[in-house]
Amino acid sequence: MEPDVIASGTGHAASAGRREELRLNLADVRDRIAAAAGAAGRPVGELTLVAVSKTWPAADVVILDALGVTHFAENRDQEARPKVVDVTKSLFDAEVSLVWPPGRADAGRVGRQDAEASPVSVPCWHFVGRLQRNKAASVARWADWVQSVDRAPVVTALARAAAVNGRQLAVCLQVSLDPAGSGTGRGGALPADIPALGDLVAGSGGLVLAGVMGVAPRDAPARPAFARLREVSDVLRQGHPDASAISAGMSGDLEDAVAEGATHLRIGTALFGQRRGVP
Ligand SMILES: *Cc1c(COP(=O)(O)O)cnc(C)c1O
């Protein structure tokens, strides 16, 4: 078997195997999401699967796109930029590569036109990593959503970059879900700072306040953390009723997130497999 595979072209054989692996993983994840929605008495249509493709190649994104996944997330700008270019090229042909760089606004338009006549869908890209102010301009070119906004200077930088690129970015405010007093180990603003940050985003041209995002603490149960995130969301929505997104839940805790009202589930390992090296 092994020699035959090599003789007939490893690339093709490998990609067929990978397609099957991703298809099975996706079916499992969709089953888990449907079961969690059922248990929580929520319609499954309220839940958006965001495939966290960090460390995985553009080819995997193209496969999942063909399987109906439309949301993808990355946590490093320098990894994401070339991947978004490659995915866009694969899905919509060479045309779009010509408008890259400087901005992806044009690539998006070309993609959307083509998409009407083609079976593939335009991926929606989310940034979920630590965001430094000096990376905002670059992230604003390829990301449609920025989920990890946790301080005012980043809001200002993103708004400026969105304006320069003629784009609209959906913004989630990342809330620290670490137990009180333990700092913000996994990133995010303190809950008390969220309403003012929300006002700042909502008042910034080029940014749309979408909601909140949280990562469960490493050494504590996820469900109470997601319950706190839901409370922060409730407070935010008193001033911004449309900011209804709650991005919570990863491969290990998506059921807890769905039980506590999550709308966006960020799933990496359960879809793609175990990452090597990078967290
Ligand atoms: C990597 C990552 C995920 C996905 O985690 P898995 O456990 O692999 O599903 C979700 N959210 C963020 C912010 C991440 O960095």
Side-chain angles (χ1 to χ4, degrees), residues 134 194 254 279:
N134 64 357
I194 292 295
L254 77 85

Side-chain angles (χ1 to χ4, degrees), residues 162-213:
V164 165
N165 290 286
R167 306 197 66 216
Q168 279 225 323
L169 302 177
V171 165
C172 286
L173 300 174
Q174 184 176 350
V175 182
S176 170
L177 299 181
D178 294 309
S182 73
T184 59
R186 306 201 77 174
L190 295 173
D193 295 333
I194 292 295
L197 268 178
D199 292 345
L200 185 62
V201 170
S204 299
L207 304 184
V208 176
L209 182 62
V212 294
M213 182 273 243

